[in-house]
Amino acid sequence: MASEEELFANIDALLEEEPQLPPPAERARLREAAGITQARLATALKTSTQTVKNYENGRSEPKSPRLEAYQRLLKGWAEKYPAHTAPTTPPPPSAVPQPETPATFTGPTAPATAAAAPESSVPAAEQPAPQRAARPASTSRRPAAKKAAKSAMDPRFPHGPLAVLDGDGCAYGVDGIVLDCPATTVVELVEWTLRESGLGAAKLNRYGKDSDPLIVLTAAAAVKLGLPERLEGHEQRRSLRLPEDHPVVKQVAKAKWQLTQRGFGPWARIYCKAQGRERQCVQLAILSWDALDERAWPGVAEMHPADVARVLGVYAQRVITPRGSTAVSGLELMTAMRPPTKPERDEQTGNWISGHNPGSLGTEPMDPAPPEATAEHPVVVNSGWTGGFLNEEAYQWVRDVNTLGDEDNKPFAVGLDLNTAFLAAAARLVVGLSGPDHFHAPQFNPKIPGSWLVDLSHIELDPRLPSPFTLDGSRPTGPAWYQTHTVAYAQELGYDVHPIEAFLRRETGAYLDPWHDRLKTAYVDTLADLGVTKDLDDQAFLTAMEQHKQTDPALAAVLSAIKATVKGGIGKLRERPQGRHYKEGERWPALERPTWRPDIRAAVISKARVNMHRKLNNMAKMTGLFPLAVLSDCVVYPSPSESPLDFLPYAASGKPQPGGFRLGPTPGLAKLEGVQSMLWAVDLMEQGLNPARHIKGGDVVLEDGE
């Protein structure tokens, strides 16, 4: 039985924890009684409107010195407007001037998971103290758009898909939720996540699997859990792992949990065998181990944990819960949208079994045709293949300066960049789903995906344009392997094609369609949240694009990650062997995935390059303009001004001409990449450098010093 002294000590401790501010509802009442808007109060407190909203709905509490200022203000209002006194009539909300603040999530596509997250503009030192959530999720959310709420409010995952754990035990979730995490070891963290956190996300396809909860660790949280703050070694940090004899790895094994073959690195998956239908798996990401690549997630690793949760939460809602790099997530999204299996009834036994899901890549890896493989692939090494390889890559072309006419008299070089060109190419793209079959002297059929050995060297095109058949834009010198779209484009240009041989696939389908549709929606919706919408005219679009990254850095980081997901996911379809110990002819881990499909990667890139050439060709016909250089999805044109509006083709009505480059926010349309002087561009071309690579920043030191 506890002594009187112990009981009084406990009571004194509770009294010391008594809130220093009135209840949240009273804070809102006092502000409204004074006729002050949340935006105006935010300006006075030098914080964001969203943070004030969090103070008034109990999601968060201010820290010193803002705490004392807010307390003084509320005390003054309480004396003027006691609860039993009717307030003086404040001006109606519509009459109160509202400062223009960007509405981060307003449309019906905005995710409920991010609707009330703290503004990223609040410095980390000024972030409010967490409201530790021993409260039900229903009291910690504001009403959200109906479309978003459907997926965000899955009753099995009341606290969203992920949380960012800091060293003080606060786990920052989406929608401003902050959970108390008592874990002091990785094993305790895994068990808390699965049993108490309420984290996870529903499957993206009826035949798929729910997303495992993601816990992101700050440096302080990692140290608290017994992990090193940084991973050190001679290899790239993202490829480093904890040694097997590390205490944390031993703890995990002792508790009967397992690590995947990737081990305990920046992205660690800890699991145990499923019991029935219940998956027992937690994904960890460690910020100080470079889990979030700066190129894909600019500035995110340095944000306050609440803002990291907001960024990753929006990405999880619109794309997928991150499971590794953006490239890994891009590949995982393909499988999540097209699961390889579905339940079907066995006609003989009547039992439900796992069957093939039509349109998917299945569960077994598939070897490519020799020309579709890489030189070190077992298919090539073991067969002694010497017949050449498919070389479908994005453009890296610079125009010969000797073909410049009076174009170098124009003062400017203007770069245009196609929005997510690979994503646009993936739309309605028919790819092979079955293994390759070998044919000799087949008749070309543009509807059959595959690889064709064709001689296109007889095709002569304008030297002021790159050849559509090679990555460097040079004319082919003899027979070579091409993907179906490249050969079909030769036919489109009016030339006969006579394949020598081919590797073709009988079963076909638009495998990437759901992947494309989800990423396109994510890209367009995120741009719209940044103020770049489809209804803008071209001048307004250019203006909005100049400002969109400053509108909301957190959402700008989401947009960057979406673009990286597209490129990385396509690149992963032909992941090469890694590690200095690899020997040619050995199988490497990526080959065991059904999604190791270099032929699908080639199809996407071939279509993207053909799309680019078609636009270049149409531009020449409509305007007489020829490009100076092309690099993947960026093209540089000579221009009379710094604006692309002065050389893009428009009809008499003012509408953009179809077929050429058009400005806009959707995949496949163009945006301004950068502007430099024409002299700058010509100097680079004379040195064999590509102006399209540097048009954005001009980060090149020229030989003549200009």
Side-chain angles (χ1 to χ4, degrees):
M1 182 123 181
S3 66
E4 183 180 49
E5 183 178 350
E6 290 175 327
L7 291 173
F8 273 86
N10 292 340
I11 294 301
D12 289 340
L14 290 176
L15 289 173
E16 289 176 3
E17 293 181 8
E18 185 179 0
Q20 302 180 57
L21 297 171
E26 177 66 4
R27 303 170 201 175
R29 185 195 72 79
L30 291 171
R31 177 186 53 75
E32 292 170 356
I36 302 298
T37 65
Q38 290 177 326
R40 187 175 172 190
L41 176 55
T43 300
L45 292 174
K46 295 191 181 301
T47 188
S48 66
T49 305
Q50 183 58 60
T51 300
V52 171
K53 292 178 181 179
N54 289 345
Y55 295 167
E56 294 185 356
N57 58 29
R59 281 196 196 95
S60 61
E61 301 291 323
K63 288 183 177 180
S64 182
R66 189 175 286 116
L67 171 63
E68 290 76 16
Y70 191 33
Q71 186 180 33
R72 180 179 180 184
L73 177 65
L74 294 175
K75 185 177 180 181
W77 281 343
E79 292 175 356
K80 293 179 65 176
Y81 311 111
H84 62 276
T85 303
T88 56
T89 304
S94 59
V96 179
Q98 296 279 357
E100 293 186 6
T101 55
T104 306
F105 302 107
T106 55
T109 56
T113 56
E119 295 292 329
S120 62
S121 57
V122 183
E126 298 180 7
Q127 286 290 336
Q131 179 73 24
R132 301 195 177 240
R135 57 180 185 273
S138 59
T139 64
S140 63
R141 300 180 187 272
R142 76 178 183 186
K146 292 181 180 179
K147 182 176 179 180
K150 182 178 179 181
S151 58
M153 296 296 289
D154 190 305
R156 297 171 300 156
F157 312 115
H159 295 145
L162 56 89
V164 182
L165 180 63
D166 207 356
D168 59 359
C170 292
Y172 295 83
V174 299
D175 201 17
I177 291 174
V178 185
L179 306 173
D180 262 327
C181 176
T184 58
T185 68
V186 168
V187 171
E188 290 176 357
L189 174 62
V190 170
E191 293 175 348
W192 172 84
T193 302
L194 292 173
R195 297 171 186 172
E196 300 179 38
S197 71
L199 297 173
K203 55 193 175 186
L204 299 179
N205 181 284
R206 60 182 296 193
Y207 300 132
K209 299 176 181 178
D210 295 333
S211 288
D212 300 317
L214 168 63
I215 300 293
V216 181
L217 304 180
T218 66
V223 171
K224 178 182 177 181
L225 296 173
L227 299 167
E229 182 175 347
R230 307 286 293 180
L231 274 182
E232 302 297 341
H234 299 294
E235 302 178 50
Q236 288 187 352
R237 185 166 287 123
R238 287 186 299 277
S239 64
L240 291 175
R241 304 289 180 264
L242 287 181
E244 293 184 3
D245 60 354
H246 190 278
V248 170
V249 177
K250 289 184 175 181
Q251 289 171 9
V252 171
K254 185 177 180 180
K256 306 301 182 184
W257 292 94
Q258 300 179 55
L259 293 164
T260 62
Q261 291 183 349
R262 290 194 294 178
F264 207 121
W267 290 88
R269 292 178 72 81
I270 302 177
Y271 71 98
C272 67
K273 292 184 178 180
Q275 299 176 359
R277 294 185 177 182
E278 294 298 319
R279 286 164 57 84
Q280 298 286 310
C281 184
V282 174
Q283 175 78 65
L284 299 182
I286 305 169
L287 293 177
S288 58
W289 294 7
D290 292 345
L292 298 181
D293 191 319
E294 177 68 17
R295 294 168 297 180
W297 304 94
V300 177
E302 306 303 321
M303 291 181 179
H304 184 275
D307 289 324
V308 176
R310 177 183 173 224
V311 171
L312 297 181
V314 176
Y315 180 89
Q317 171 69 16
R318 297 186 174 182
V319 182
I320 193 172
T321 303
R323 304 182 185 184
S325 67
T326 47
V328 169
S329 296
L331 200 66
E332 292 278 349
L333 180 63
M334 293 181 194
T335 303
M337 299 303 293
R338 289 270 200 195
T341 62
K342 69 170 186 176
E344 60 182 34
R345 190 179 296 277
D346 188 321
E347 295 181 359
Q348 295 181 345
T349 65
N351 296 329
W352 287 97
I353 60 174
S354 180
H356 174 66
N357 184 21
S360 75
L361 298 182
T363 58
E364 297 299 320
M366 183 182 299
D367 279 340
E372 297 167 347
T374 56
E376 66 271 19
H377 195 286
V379 164
V380 174
V381 175
N382 296 338
S383 67
W385 174 261
T386 58
F389 296 97
L390 198 65
N391 193 25
E392 298 285 12
E393 300 293 343
Y395 270 133
Q396 296 185 45
W397 172 79
V398 179
R399 184 171 159 191
D400 185 346
V401 292
N402 295 320
T403 64
L404 293 175
D406 59 357
E407 294 159 302
D408 57 358
N409 293 328
K410 294 185 178 179
F412 296 101
V414 174
L416 295 176
D417 181 75
L418 295 181
N419 301 321
T420 56
F422 290 163
L423 184 62
R428 313 301 172 252
L429 176 68
V430 176
V431 300
L433 300 178
S434 57
D437 292 319
H438 194 189
F439 298 89
H440 291 279
Q443 183 177 354
F444 178 68
N445 186 335
K447 295 183 178 180
I448 300 179
S451 302
W452 309 77
L453 181 62
V454 190
D455 189 350
L456 302 179
S457 61
H458 63 286
I459 299 178
E460 185 172 357
L461 301 174
D462 194 310
R464 293 171 293 180
L465 289 176
S467 167
F469 311 124
T470 61
L471 67 94
D472 62 0
S474 62
R475 183 174 173 175
T477 57
W481 289 96
Y482 301 100
Q483 201 275 335
T484 298
H485 281 89
T486 304
V487 185
Y489 188 57
Q491 272 194 343
E492 181 183 323
L493 293 173
Y495 296 92
D496 289 333
V497 293
H498 302 284
I500 302 167
E501 59 180 305
F503 287 90
L504 309 177
R505 288 169 167 79
R506 300 178 187 274
E507 184 182 344
T508 65
Y511 170 70
L512 292 174
D513 263 9
W515 182 83
H516 161 272
D517 294 348
R518 185 166 178 84
L519 284 168
K520 177 183 177 181
T521 300
Y523 180 82
V524 172
D525 287 352
T526 306
L527 259 183
D529 287 335
L530 289 167
V532 186
T533 56
K534 296 179 182 179
D535 58 346
L536 299 176
D537 62 36
D538 283 359
Q539 182 57 64
F541 168 75
L542 292 173
T543 302
M545 286 300 296
E546 285 182 6
Q547 304 167 351
H548 79 283
K549 291 184 179 180
Q550 288 73 44
T551 300
D552 187 330
L555 273 183
V558 175
L559 188 69
S560 171
I562 292 171
K563 292 188 287 186
T565 301
V566 173
K567 285 192 175 182
I570 297 299
K572 275 279 186 181
L573 291 169
R574 196 190 68 168
E575 184 178 356
R576 305 292 287 266
Q578 301 174 12
R580 60 182 181 272
H581 301 297
Y582 173 76
K583 294 181 180 179
E584 190 175 80
E586 293 180 347
R587 294 188 70 84
W588 58 95
L591 299 187
E592 306 312 315
R593 297 192 315 248
T595 49
W596 196 87
R597 290 294 302 273
D599 56 302
I600 296 180
R601 173 187 178 274
V604 173
I605 296 176
S606 168
K607 186 179 175 184
R609 195 184 65 249
V610 164
N611 286 347
M612 172 64 83
H613 191 276
R614 189 180 289 112
K615 293 179 188 296
L616 297 173
N617 204 24
N618 289 338
M619 282 285 290
K621 293 176 180 177
M622 289 187 287
T623 68
L625 280 178
F626 292 87
L628 302 176
V630 183
L631 181 71
S632 187
D633 48 10
C634 178
V635 57
V636 178
Y637 274 104
S639 175
S641 76
E642 298 183 64
S643 173
L645 300 179
D646 289 334
F647 67 83
L648 290 176
Y650 290 89
S653 63
K655 293 185 178 181
Q657 291 276 28
F661 292 100
R662 298 174 55 190
L663 299 176
T666 55
L669 298 187
K671 60 181 180 292
L672 179 63
E673 179 71 1
V675 181
Q676 300 293 333
S677 71
M678 187 65 180
L679 178 61
W680 172 91
V682 173
D683 282 341
L684 259 64
M685 294 165 68
E686 289 177 340
Q687 295 179 44
L689 300 176
N690 193 324
R693 185 181 299 278
H694 308 285
I695 191 74
K696 193 170 186 177
D699 52 343
V700 181
V701 178
L702 302 179
E703 290 179 355
D704 58 6
E706 294 187 17

